[in-house]
Amino acid sequence: MKAIVYTKYGPPEVVKLMEVDKPIPTDNDVLIKVHATTVNRTDCGFRSADYFITRFFSGLFRPKNKILGNEFAGEIEAIGKNVTSFNVGDKVFGYNDSKMGAHAEYMTMAENEAITTMPNNLSYQEAAPICEGAHYALCDIRAAKAKSGQSTLVNGATGAIGSAAVQLLKHFGANVTAVCDTKNIELVRSLGPDLVIDYKKDDFTKTEQKFDFIFDSVGKSSFGKCKPLLNEKGIYISTELGKNSENIFLAIITPRLGGKKVLFPIPTISKEDVIFLKQLVESGRYKPVIDRQYKLEQIVEAHTYAETGQKTGNLVINITQ
Ligand SMILES: NC(=O)c1ccc[n+]([C@@H]2O[C@H](COP(=O)([O-])OP(=O)(O)OC[C@H]3O[C@@H](n4cnc5c(N)ncnc54)[C@H](OP(=O)(O)O)[C@@H]3O)[C@@H](O)[C@H]2O)c1
């Protein structure tokens, strides 16, 4: 089968289109013919290993799993003999950041992993980007216990994580202020926030408003700058470690002090989360934002663009079109 393989950490050019063996499903696995996948910041993180800590998961000196790709949408082509919840021909989507493998014509998933049938009336291209940004956002929103009536702010509302966070927070009933660039104001308004701040015109850290939860989904601010904006027990979460990797340290110290605090949750995803996201998509409460689409052969371009930190939502890779 065709797959995008990387054998060493480095820039976008380390990923190469190659012919490799088709994976063989075990008794508990499904074999998926992948129709669409994505290139996201998780792929870029695993590819570059710029943060040394990622090597403890992906391989100390060279990548353990040589095919990237954590999001997928496709069709089940074969099932292991113990599989009971899927049938050949089912259209499925999901997420796998432990084994990856979606940048290929075929991949396997255990039936109890983060995979379920596709939402009604969605194309493979629309279903592939449902999970990555949304599961990070969901973990952070759950950690902050953000709920109905609370005042929240999402910095970086145009990213994969931020655009999902705005929609999820609205679903949970929060009042949402979204921060984005001038050129994306209309797009961000369409996600349903109560207020939009254009960061090119206004510094959100200078606003008079107070928040229960500030979610910096692009890690461009700091707890120090956001602290004055937080209510007495307000919570700050950033997707980045911070300028001096201070967010981990602050997440250990500040919860013990009883006031405003920093959290740094470890992201997880389960089958139940994927089913939850599917239900939100089906009820029209969540729609992943798609920026550009590429062919498998253009994957280096997709990595290069994802790495700029300027994509708007998600980049879809079409494998079968
Ligand atoms: N290491 C990992 O494995 C990993 C995995 C996932 C995510 N992350 C981190 O999580 C963060 C978000 O990821 P993502 O995929 O959601 O991001 P993304 O899709 O790459 O998007 C970033 C968005 O943020 C906007 N932006 C840039 N500078 C901004 C600023 N100063 N204020 C507000 N918005 C700004 C950009 O638009 P404009 O340029 O138009 O403003 C862009 O739309 C990234 O920092 C990423 O590194 C890391």
Side-chain angles (χ1 to χ4, degrees):
M1 67 167 184
K2 279 188 199 157
I4 305 295
V5 176
Y6 82 129
T7 52
K8 59 180 180 185
Y9 297 121
E13 291 72 23
V14 297
V15 303
K16 314 258 184 229
L17 180 64
M18 285 186 183
E19 283 290 328
V20 300
D21 291 340
K22 194 171 160 181
I24 299 165
T26 68
D27 290 350
N28 300 318
D29 283 350
V30 297
L31 176 70
I32 304 156
K33 181 171 173 57
V34 184
H35 286 269
T37 178
T38 61
V39 169
N40 50 49
R41 298 293 291 268
T42 306
D43 294 309
C44 293
F46 275 71
R47 189 207 70 237
S48 67
D50 279 347
Y51 283 126
F52 196 83
I53 195 169
T54 60
R55 294 177 184 231
F56 293 112
F57 305 97
S58 61
L60 208 50
F61 301 109
R62 61 190 67 82
K64 274 189 306 203
N65 298 317
K66 302 206 167 24
I67 303 174
L68 290 167
N70 41 67
E71 294 183 291
F72 60 89
E75 189 176 344
I76 292 190
E77 190 169 285
I79 57 174
K81 72 174 168 41
N82 298 337
V83 172
T84 55
S85 53
F86 294 105
N87 293 305
V88 170
D90 282 352
K91 291 180 169 188
V92 291
F93 78 106
Y95 188 78
N96 188 337
D97 65 358
S98 53
K99 204 173 58 167
M100 316 286 266
H103 292 168
E105 289 179 302
Y106 292 90
M107 67 184 289
T108 57
M109 286 282 283
E111 77 167 323
N112 61 0
E113 289 183 307
I115 173 173
T116 192
T117 51
M118 266 174 41
N120 296 328
N121 307 323
L122 238 58
S123 66
Y124 292 117
Q125 289 71 25
E126 291 167 316
I130 289 176
C131 294
E132 197 249 2
H135 94 283
Y136 287 122
L138 196 56
C139 283
D140 292 340
I141 291 168
R142 283 177 177 156
K145 300 190 172 66
K147 53 180 185 286
S148 188
Q150 283 196 328
S151 177
T152 67
L153 180 141
V154 178
N155 187 35
T158 49
I161 303 175
S163 58
V166 171
Q167 297 176 75
L168 293 174
L169 283 166
K170 284 312 298 174
H171 166 70
F172 291 122
N175 183 288
V176 182
T177 296
V179 183
C180 69
D181 188 347
T182 318
K183 67 181 191 294
N184 289 315
I185 285 183
E186 283 318 307
L187 168 78
V188 170
R189 280 207 181 110
S190 76
L191 305 176
D194 301 274
L195 186 73
V196 179
I197 295 177
D198 176 348
Y199 80 80
K200 289 269 167 75
K201 292 194 183 131
D202 299 301
D203 178 351
F204 80 86
T205 63
K206 302 278 186 309
T207 177
E208 297 289 304
Q209 219 187 323
K210 297 280 182 210
F211 301 96
D212 299 300
F213 174 36
I214 294 181
F215 181 37
D216 186 353
S217 69
V218 281
K220 301 281 183 185
S221 67
S222 67
F223 180 54
K225 281 197 168 167
C226 292
K227 204 173 170 187
L229 279 67
L230 287 170
N231 286 326
E232 200 187 332
K233 300 252 175 197
I235 290 170
Y236 173 84
I237 295 181
S238 170
T239 53
E240 288 285 340
L241 297 173
K243 211 171 166 190
N244 303 304
S245 301
E246 70 277 10
N247 288 332
I248 302 260
F249 172 74
L250 289 168
I252 295 168
I253 300 298
T254 55
R256 289 168 166 77
L257 303 178
K260 303 173 185 187
K261 64 184 173 197
V262 176
L263 300 180
F264 203 86
I266 305 294
T268 58
I269 186 166
S270 65
K271 181 184 282 294
E272 288 67 37
D273 294 331
V274 179
I275 293 169
F276 172 70
L277 293 172
K278 170 184 167 171
Q279 287 163 348
L280 287 190
V281 169
E282 284 183 337
S283 61
R285 288 168 177 273
Y286 165 54
K287 187 176 179 193
V289 171
I290 296 176
D291 183 342
R292 298 182 188 169
Q293 300 205 27
Y294 299 86
K295 292 183 185 147
L296 194 60
E297 292 74 12
Q298 298 171 299
I299 201 136
V300 174
E301 267 177 62
H303 273 268
T304 305
Y305 182 41
E307 206 160 70
T308 63
Q310 290 181 322
K311 69 181 168 64
T312 308
N314 300 279
L315 308 180
V316 172
I317 309 296
N318 290 300
I319 297 192
T320 49
Q321 280 184 353

